[in-house]
Amino acid sequence: MKTEDFTAIKELLSSPKRIAIIPHRNPDGDAIGSTLALMHYLNSYNHDAVVVAPNDYPEFLKWAPGESTILKFDTQVDISKSKIAEADIIFTLDFNVLNRTGEEMGRFLAESQALKIMIDHHLAPDDYATYMYSDASMSSTCEMVFNFIENLGDSDKINSDIASCIYLGIMTDTGSFRFSSTTSRTHRVIGELIDKGADNTQIHNLVYDTNSYNRLQLLGRALQNLKIIPEYNAAYIALSQSELDEFNFKKGDTEGVVNYALSVNNIKLAAIFIENSSEGIVKISLRSKGSLSVNELSRTHFNGGGHSNAAGGRTTLSLNETVEKFIAILPEYKAHLTS
Ligand code: 5GP
Ligand code: MN
């Protein structure tokens, strides 16, 4: 984003505003961390800022400072709609296509006349925002919120609540600082966040060491279901609705499981297919190493998108048909997978 844009936003925020801050559907650590961090920052200036999430999120995020104030559009429709309708400014964080909030909420956001500001690190942004801070090279939207506050000249406004929220999203979106999007700057930001009061050990414990017995048993089943396709250096896991039911599946229980498929020696493409009978879909997560863009693969074949090495999508096919489709498209990507 240009310096003039930061100047214009600073001017815009110089008087109290009603602000709605929106993460994507099925918010993850980066979506929850970035929206809450921005909310705390804006409210420190007497704005009336509220986070309106499309739907619920996993238990392991429910400690984040300010989390209890988050409105959920799908179960708190009236208040969510009025917060969006009354807003002077709408920030959209960690996504860049309005229907990533779901069809109804996406339409509602599109109809709003509020000034829109996007902060996001996904590829191929839509053109709905007046101000776009869009940078696909960034580790996380949380790191961008840190930059955003810094560019507004307000680093000293980052207190321990804001620091904890930002730490949460950088940690989860970088796989604990190991993905290639992690830079020396990311580590310097993390250092500053710790100085400002983020308790790194505690945050890791709260996110990664609160597994239920059922979740670990489901992981065991997922690992037993792992299939390798050696000629394409690809691996996948499929989980049926009945398997999820057997282990009393809760939102978030399968988060990160696809990375086990990617951790197999020589594997360059990993997928997990998760049946969701109530929505009539199969949810897909894709991960790659090297030049294969799963963003492109997901956009082309699975109604999705994301980043070059991490993307998601969905089908309305059956679980078996989805797996068959995945296997059938592999020849298209052979050059990337076997080089
Ligand atoms: P995950 O596999 O962890 O759900 O998502 C991986 C990445 O892909 C995230 O950055 C997420 O925002 C993006 N993503 C996941 N599902 C979808 C989808 O259905 N559509 C698009 N455009 N992006 C997605
Ligand atoms: Mn993110």
Side-chain angles (χ1 to χ4, degrees):
M1 193 147 86
K2 300 189 292 278
T3 314
E4 303 94 89
D5 289 346
F6 284 109
T7 310
I9 292 171
K10 182 104 188 151
E11 172 62 27
L12 187 69
L13 293 174
S14 64
S15 59
K17 294 284 186 309
R18 286 166 300 191
I19 300 171
I21 308 172
I22 318 290
H24 55 77
R25 190 173 163 77
N26 299 324
D28 58 6
D30 192 31
I32 293 298
S34 62
T35 51
L36 288 175
L38 186 65
M39 178 192 81
H40 289 302
Y41 164 68
L42 292 169
N43 284 338
S44 77
Y45 271 112
N46 294 322
H47 296 296
D48 176 10
V50 62
V51 176
V52 184
N55 63 347
D56 202 8
Y57 37 85
E59 287 296 315
F60 60 75
L61 300 176
K62 291 193 176 170
W63 56 270
E67 177 277 318
S68 62
T69 68
I70 296 179
L71 296 173
K72 284 145 207 155
F73 190 92
D74 66 343
T75 54
Q76 296 169 285
V77 186
D78 292 344
I79 173 121
S80 299
K81 283 189 169 172
S82 65
K83 288 290 178 189
I84 292 169
E86 288 164 8
D88 304 305
I89 303 172
I90 292 177
F91 279 89
T92 66
L93 265 60
D94 202 34
F95 68 95
N96 58 23
V97 182
L98 288 177
N99 71 13
R100 284 281 288 129
T101 60
E103 244 172 69
E104 189 194 351
M105 187 168 174
R107 238 181 293 117
F108 200 74
L109 289 167
E111 282 162 12
S112 151
Q113 296 303 304
L115 181 140
K116 298 191 179 79
I117 303 178
M118 175 199 297
I119 305 179
D120 179 63
H121 67 135
H122 293 92
L123 294 158
D126 263 8
D127 185 21
Y128 62 80
T130 303
Y131 297 109
M132 279 172 63
Y133 180 23
S134 165
D135 184 348
S137 74
M138 294 298 301
S139 71
S140 54
T141 302
C142 273
E143 189 174 338
M144 299 176 76
V145 167
F146 183 95
N147 293 344
F148 183 80
I149 296 173
E150 189 176 66
N151 276 300
L152 293 176
D154 279 333
S155 296
D156 56 357
K157 283 262 179 189
I158 299 179
N159 58 20
S160 68
D161 283 351
I162 297 177
S164 300
C165 290
I166 296 178
Y167 189 101
L168 164 65
I170 298 180
M171 177 188 84
T172 52
D173 255 31
T174 59
S176 297
F177 324 111
R178 70 196 183 96
F179 297 154
S180 58
S181 56
T182 311
T183 62
S184 59
R185 158 79 181 170
T186 311
H187 282 281
R188 278 193 290 275
V189 168
I190 286 294
E192 280 198 49
L193 295 172
I194 293 172
D195 288 343
K196 287 175 186 294
D199 185 336
N200 52 319
T201 305
Q202 192 197 24
I203 294 173
H204 280 261
N205 285 339
L206 288 165
V207 173
Y208 295 120
D209 295 342
T210 52
N211 284 317
S212 65
Y213 180 77
N214 270 328
R215 184 182 185 191
L216 290 181
Q217 296 294 300
L218 177 62
L219 171 62
R221 176 65 59 84
L223 297 180
Q224 285 180 330
N225 291 357
L226 174 67
K227 300 275 190 302
I228 308 287
I229 310 171
E231 59 273 37
Y232 292 106
N233 295 316
Y236 69 89
I237 293 168
L239 285 171
S240 68
Q241 183 69 59
S242 64
E243 288 175 307
L244 299 173
D245 293 344
E246 189 180 333
F247 300 105
N248 194 21
F249 170 80
K250 300 248 177 351
K251 198 177 259 293
D253 280 356
T254 52
E255 203 138 305
V257 175
V258 66
N259 293 315
Y260 287 94
L262 193 66
S263 75
V264 178
N265 196 20
N266 293 326
I267 290 300
K268 291 189 175 162
L269 171 63
I272 187 167
F273 306 102
I274 301 168
E275 189 174 32
N276 182 333
S277 299
S278 65
E279 291 187 33
I281 61 162
V282 174
K283 176 79 183 90
I284 303 163
S285 286
L286 296 156
R287 300 290 185 269
S288 65
K289 282 183 180 161
S291 63
L292 193 157
S293 168
V294 285
N295 170 60
E296 190 276 327
L297 188 155
S298 188
R299 276 174 190 269
T300 310
H301 299 288
F302 295 118
N303 306 305
H307 311 283
S308 183
N309 293 132
R314 57 183 57 207
T315 66
T316 50
L317 302 171
S318 72
L319 186 58
N320 280 338
E321 288 166 346
T322 305
V323 169
E324 282 167 13
K325 177 172 177 176
F326 174 72
I327 293 170
I329 64 173
L330 291 177
E332 226 178 284
Y333 298 95
K334 187 161 189 173
H336 292 286
L337 291 170
T338 56
S339 57

